[in-house]
Amino acid sequence: MESSLSSIQALVSQIKQEILSSFNPSSFISPSAYDTAWLALVPCPNSPKSPLFKGCLNWVLKGQKEEGFWGEVGRDGLPAIDSLPATLACLVAIKKWGVGEQNLKRGVTFINSYSEMLLKVEGGKFPRGFTIVFPAMVKLALENGLEIVFPKGVEEVLSNMSLERQRILETEEIVDSFQFSPLLAHLEAFPSSYIVHEEDIERNLSEDGSLFQSPSATACAFLVTGNQKCLDYLKTLVAKHPNGVPPVYPIDEELVSLCMVNQIQRLGLAEYFAEEIDEILGQIYRSYEEQEQEPTAFNLAITKIYKDALLFRLLRMHGYNVTSRSFCWFLDHEDICAHMERNYEYYTSILYNVYRATDVIFSGEDELEEARSFSKKLLEKSLKLTSINDNMVIFANFHKIIDHELSIPWIARLDHLDHRMWIEENQVDTLWIAKATFYRVSCLQNHKLIQLALKNFDFRQSIYQKELEELNRWSKDVGLSEMGFGREKTTYCYYAVASSTSLPHDSVARLIVAKSAILVTVADDFFDMEGSLEELQTLTQAVQRWDGRGLTGHSKVIFLALDNLVREIATNYFHRQGIDITENLQNMWRETFVSWLIETTWSKSQYIPSMEEYLETGMTSIASHVITLPASCFLSTSSPSYELKASSYETITKLLMASTRLLNDIQSYQKEIEVGRKNLVVLHQIENPQVGIENSISYVKGILNDMKKELLEQALIDDLGVFPSHSSISICHA
């Protein structure tokens, strides 16, 4: 185990040094062969027979893959569909400048050999950008004398694609406010018959001189207009990216940084990069407060929704006080919402981010409720599609990821298993989508990062297996595993704790929570189904005295196990902090045993408490406080020992106690009815006989939903919660 930890620490150091020490988000965006080729086509103004950007031409010559293509590889190991226009553009650039004869031969062979197969993979349904660009690149290649010979099947596909391209050119406005990538952003792919006035181009140039931040379109704009601002943009771009230009420039470096933080967290590696994560989020938070919240251009608005939703979730998860308005602004734009509803299959990744952001909703945040309903409705529709043509990103198993997100509430999921799923999904690179090409964000699929995630998962598995063995020994030694009644929950209790939390690997809190949960399960079953009222009264009195003399049988086993656990926790804490918390721990268990006895007495005497009376006792009898509070004393930022006293329970503790009680009652009301016990669902129906059981369930669910929101707020906002934010979320899960 020591060697495993050393190996992990070595990888962490390497990743910090190679990726995070001087984090430059732009350096992780893979070059676009298509856009680089278009810059290579630009002649030098003073020497038209020479390329202006020789470095781009050299990159093209060196960037050809062994199979003869330029572009990205898809998740199936084949060249991605964008390799067809990218390869054609590179071949045209090479042909124009009379270099790279072998590159030409290999590239033409690839196009002639692979086109039919790659086009068939898409099943006749091609991305809009590809439909606009590919026929144009074929025509340009033929005009430049390249010997492109397609099989009959490709000719048919190309003919149909050309018709669709013509329809797009005839029906879409040159700058359609509702196109993610406006038509004019594909300027280099316009046929000569399509008239574009120079003033239309110059009117749509950004302040930096780019045409919709597209290097290829801006290169074409310069060739058409000779605009100095375009040339300045291209020179700045090449100076920043001399080894192949990205598909978009300027790159949103904050978005890359946020995706990196998100990736680290979802792979289960946050504990190793806490300082780096805090620094990145702190920098973005400070700059974001000064930025304009609502962009005017539709394509910018859509990207901003993706980014804002991701940022909102990450900031809120790390204790920043951010409002829902920071990303819910789009709900005020009926045109944006209506367009996304009509074309939801193109915005799945954005809707996915919006939905995940609404996981961390607080009380009274109606905008987040609206955003959650909006995104959920459209994500559910996307699950019915056979394929998803997203405008932002391509995940290997997006249907699986969306279904997982919708079917299991985030707060109920098991972190360890979520990490495993995300590791598995990231064994295949994720492709991001630009105008007409794909690209990779290499830091997200960095080999060492994925290797670290695998090692860390296996390391945690070995720790969990060792701790489970220790727990089984303890449970057997104190007699709890062989009581002969009720539920034997040793493995279940540990599994629930270990897999639902992201506690440090060496945290003692896991075993404290698991042992406490096992003891609670056995004692609760003893009160519910095994012990006579006299036995239960005797046991409760012994706990009040904290003296087990005179106890026999199951009562004696339970008391001795309880005393053993309290001594173990108190001794451990005293060695760490020099404070004796024995009395505080005993008092917590005293009130818990009293609450169990009260409920048993109610049941045996057929007494029907009021809902208020029941909840006051039920908050304690659910025993979530005796399971979590002692463990919280051993977290990295430990809770003060005085908060173990009932009179000092923080709001977050009371909310945890109440919400776990309501959650239990919603799930167990049928069983309680069968055995004649009462819970809040049953009591609500008794007090409201005119309503059905489903109405009573909805009533309790409504209360629980409000409590969970308030619990999250207490857990996540640093100045409200008693626990450090990373730990409180684990407690919410548990």
Side-chain angles (χ1 to χ4, degrees):
M1 188 173 295
E2 285 298 324
S3 61
S4 297
L5 183 56
S6 298
S7 174
I8 287 172
Q9 291 170 339
L11 264 178
V12 169
S13 297
Q14 291 175 31
I15 292 169
K16 287 185 177 184
Q17 180 64 34
E18 296 173 10
I19 300 180
L20 297 172
S21 61
S22 55
F23 190 59
N24 178 15
S26 295
S27 66
F28 299 112
I29 304 298
S30 61
S32 164
Y34 178 81
D35 290 271
T36 304
W38 271 99
L39 267 72
L41 283 166
V42 177
C44 183
N46 300 323
S47 180
K49 293 185 178 181
S50 300
L52 176 59
F53 302 111
K54 293 180 181 179
C56 290
L57 180 59
N58 289 334
W59 184 91
V60 169
L61 291 170
K62 296 176 181 178
Q64 189 175 28
K65 302 289 195 299
E66 185 177 342
E67 297 85 349
F69 72 94
W70 286 265
E72 296 293 344
V73 177
R75 59 179 178 267
D76 52 7
L78 295 172
I81 189 71
D82 78 315
S83 65
L84 295 177
T87 298
L88 289 170
C90 289
L91 291 174
V92 170
I94 292 172
K95 179 75 173 179
K96 176 173 181 175
W97 302 116
V99 295
E101 184 178 344
Q102 290 303 312
N103 298 83
L104 275 176
K105 289 181 180 179
R106 291 167 57 208
V108 170
T109 300
F110 169 80
I111 292 292
N112 292 338
S113 303
Y114 279 79
S115 295
E116 185 171 24
M117 178 185 64
L118 295 180
L119 292 170
K120 278 184 177 179
V121 169
E122 297 298 315
K125 190 174 183 180
F126 303 101
R128 171 177 168 273
F130 181 85
T131 300
I132 296 171
V133 166
F134 181 54
M137 293 303 101
V138 172
K139 188 172 186 298
L140 186 62
L142 293 172
E143 289 174 349
N144 279 270
L146 292 171
E147 297 179 4
I148 306 298
V149 181
F150 291 128
K152 185 178 179 180
V154 173
E155 293 286 358
E156 292 177 1
V157 172
L158 190 58
S159 176
N160 292 332
M161 194 184 304
S162 297
L163 290 174
E164 174 62 16
R165 173 173 174 257
Q166 188 62 32
R167 185 197 67 78
I168 292 172
L169 292 171
E170 291 176 354
T171 58
E172 286 188 13
E173 296 180 16
I174 194 168
V175 181
D176 188 333
S177 58
F178 288 112
Q179 279 297 348
F180 186 75
S181 181
L183 191 56
L184 189 57
H186 303 81
L187 176 64
E188 77 282 359
F190 286 2
S192 57
S193 59
Y194 192 95
I195 299 174
V196 182
H197 299 290
E198 287 189 22
E199 52 266 31
D200 288 330
I201 297 173
E202 293 178 345
R203 188 187 311 117
N204 286 283
L205 293 178
S206 302
E207 289 185 10
D208 61 8
S210 73
L211 193 59
F212 301 105
Q213 289 78 51
S214 168
S216 52
T218 308
C220 185
F222 173 67
L223 292 173
V224 171
T225 67
N227 187 286
Q228 184 63 39
K229 288 180 65 178
C230 293
L231 180 58
D232 292 341
Y233 166 84
L234 296 174
K235 288 181 176 180
T236 301
L237 167 62
V238 173
K240 179 81 172 179
H241 297 275
N243 299 312
V245 301
V248 178
Y249 183 81
I251 292 166
D252 189 338
E253 296 189 351
E254 289 184 345
L255 179 55
V256 177
S257 298
L258 290 173
C259 290
M260 182 65 180
V261 171
N262 183 60
Q263 183 77 335
I264 288 172
Q265 292 200 162
R266 300 196 73 175
L267 290 172
L269 303 174
E271 66 178 290
Y272 301 114
F273 304 100
E275 291 183 8
E276 290 80 6
I277 289 173
D278 288 344
E279 182 178 351
I280 289 172
L281 292 181
Q283 288 177 349
I284 296 177
Y285 178 72
R286 288 188 293 273
S287 67
Y288 217 62
E289 287 185 305
E290 303 170 0
Q291 296 178 16
E292 182 182 353
Q293 287 300 309
E294 301 181 26
T296 53
F298 177 77
N299 62 316
L300 298 179
I302 292 297
T303 305
K304 187 167 174 56
I305 295 170
Y306 183 98
K307 176 182 176 180
D308 287 355
L310 180 58
L311 178 61
F312 173 83
R313 179 185 173 94
L314 289 173
L315 288 178
R316 185 160 275 192
M317 290 283 287
H318 284 80
Y320 287 87
N321 194 358
V322 287
T323 66
S324 58
R325 172 53 41 177
S326 64
F327 89 93
C328 286
W329 52 265
F330 75 92
L331 294 172
D332 294 336
H333 296 258
E334 293 183 9
D335 51 351
I336 292 177
C337 292
H339 181 78
M340 290 177 70
E341 285 191 272
R342 290 192 301 269
N343 303 277
Y344 62 90
E345 67 268 30
Y346 299 108
Y347 304 111
T348 312
S349 62
I350 291 137
L351 295 165
Y352 174 73
N353 261 15
V354 169
Y355 185 79
R356 292 190 76 238
T358 63
D359 283 336
V360 284
I361 184 172
F362 295 165
S363 298
E365 292 186 320
D366 296 336
E367 281 186 318
L368 281 177
E369 292 281 11
E370 185 181 350
R372 189 170 185 83
S373 297
F374 176 80
S375 55
K376 182 180 181 181
K377 175 183 67 176
L378 298 182
L379 287 173
E380 287 174 339
K381 291 177 69 174
S382 74
L383 287 175
K384 300 175 183 177
L385 300 173
T386 55
S387 61
I388 294 175
N389 298 306
D390 196 84
N391 274 330
M392 286 282 294
V393 63
I394 302 174
F395 284 104
N397 296 298
F398 215 177
H399 277 100
K400 175 184 174 182
I401 292 170
I402 294 171
D403 182 60
H404 178 72
E405 199 68 38
L406 295 178
S407 60
I408 308 174
W410 163 73
I411 202 167
R413 290 208 291 268
L414 306 177
D415 286 355
H416 191 54
L417 300 187
D418 262 16
H419 296 157
R420 184 180 73 178
M421 188 192 83
W422 200 247
I423 292 169
E424 291 170 350
E425 294 303 320
N426 281 270
Q427 295 293 320
V428 179
D429 282 3
T430 298
L431 289 175
W432 292 70
I433 303 170
K435 178 185 71 179
T437 60
F438 301 145
Y439 64 98
R440 285 183 165 80
V441 184
S442 62
C443 59
L444 304 185
Q445 265 79 36
N446 177 272
H447 171 70
K448 289 182 179 177
L449 192 67
I450 303 301
Q451 186 183 8
L452 174 61
L454 288 166
K455 284 182 175 291
N456 182 61
F457 184 88
D458 290 341
F459 177 59
R460 282 186 168 273
Q461 284 284 86
S462 66
I463 290 173
Y464 298 160
Q465 290 166 359
K466 182 179 178 182
E467 289 183 346
L468 180 57
E469 291 174 3
E470 179 183 340
L471 192 63
N472 278 316
R473 282 195 300 271
W474 175 84
S475 185
K476 184 177 181 179
D477 289 345
V478 298
L480 294 179
S481 62
E482 300 174 354
M483 295 292 278
F485 66 86
R487 300 162 287 175
E488 204 297 295
K489 290 286 187 176
T490 301
T491 301
Y492 175 87
C493 288
Y494 182 76
Y495 175 79
V497 173
S499 59
S500 67
T501 62
S502 297
L503 295 169
H505 69 271
D506 57 352
S507 175
V508 299
R510 278 189 301 275
L511 284 176
I512 292 174
V513 172
K515 289 179 180 180
S516 301
I518 293 166
L519 183 54
V520 165
T521 302
V522 172
D524 184 58
D525 284 348
F526 184 59
F527 273 79
D528 282 350
M529 63 180 67
E530 183 68 16
S532 66
L533 186 58
E534 182 180 355
E535 284 179 306
L536 301 179
Q537 289 170 339
T538 301
L539 174 58
T540 303
Q541 290 166 3
V543 172
Q544 302 312 300
R545 301 189 311 270
W546 211 267
D547 182 354
R549 285 176 294 184
L551 293 176
T552 59
H554 297 315
S555 296
K556 182 177 181 180
V557 172
I558 291 171
F559 180 83
L560 291 177
L562 174 60
D563 185 57
N564 174 280
L565 177 60
V566 167
R567 287 175 185 273
E568 178 186 338
I569 297 172
T571 300
N572 199 332
Y573 190 77
F574 184 81
H575 287 158
R576 291 172 181 241
Q577 302 292 336
I579 300 173
D580 187 359
I581 59 172
T582 303
E583 186 68 19
N584 292 345
L585 296 173
Q586 290 175 347
N587 286 337
M588 292 174 66
W589 283 100
R590 285 179 176 121
E591 65 175 359
T592 303
F593 273 77
V594 167
S595 69
W596 287 336
L597 182 60
I598 289 173
E599 290 185 344
T600 301
T601 304
W602 288 347
S603 178
K604 292 184 180 297
S605 65
Q606 301 296 306
Y607 174 75
I608 301 177
S610 67
M611 291 174 64
E612 292 76 12
E613 184 182 8
Y614 167 80
L615 192 55
E616 183 179 354
T617 299
M619 284 175 57
T620 304
S621 67
I622 196 65
S624 55
H625 63 310
V626 296
I627 294 175
T628 55
L629 276 184
S632 72
C633 295
F634 296 89
L635 299 177
S636 56
T637 305
S638 60
S639 304
S641 57
Y642 68 79
E643 288 166 358
L644 298 176
K645 298 179 180 179
S647 59
S648 301
Y649 290 163
E650 295 282 342
T651 301
I652 188 173
T653 304
K654 295 175 181 177
L655 285 167
L656 179 64
M657 295 164 69
S659 59
T660 47
R661 166 49 65 193
L662 298 188
L663 184 62
N664 177 83
D665 286 5
I666 291 169
Q667 295 175 336
S668 66
Y669 74 92
Q670 288 180 317
K671 177 184 175 183
E672 305 287 16
I673 291 174
E674 292 172 3
V675 298
R677 287 196 296 266
K678 305 297 183 287
N679 73 15
L680 202 65
V681 173
V682 178
L683 291 174
H684 179 266
Q685 191 177 34
I686 291 174
E687 293 186 12
N688 301 272
Q690 72 280 7
V691 304
I693 191 69
E694 293 301 324
N695 294 95
S696 294
I697 295 170
S698 296
Y699 171 79
V700 177
K701 281 184 176 179
I703 299 174
L704 175 60
N705 191 45
D706 291 340
M707 282 186 176
K708 284 197 293 187
K709 293 174 186 175
E710 191 175 350
L711 176 61
L712 270 177
E713 184 172 8
Q714 291 285 329
L716 291 173
I717 301 302
D718 284 345
D719 58 353
L720 294 179
V722 59
F723 307 115
S725 58
H726 70 279
S727 303
S728 53
I729 286 300
S730 298
I731 288 170
C732 291
H733 279 314

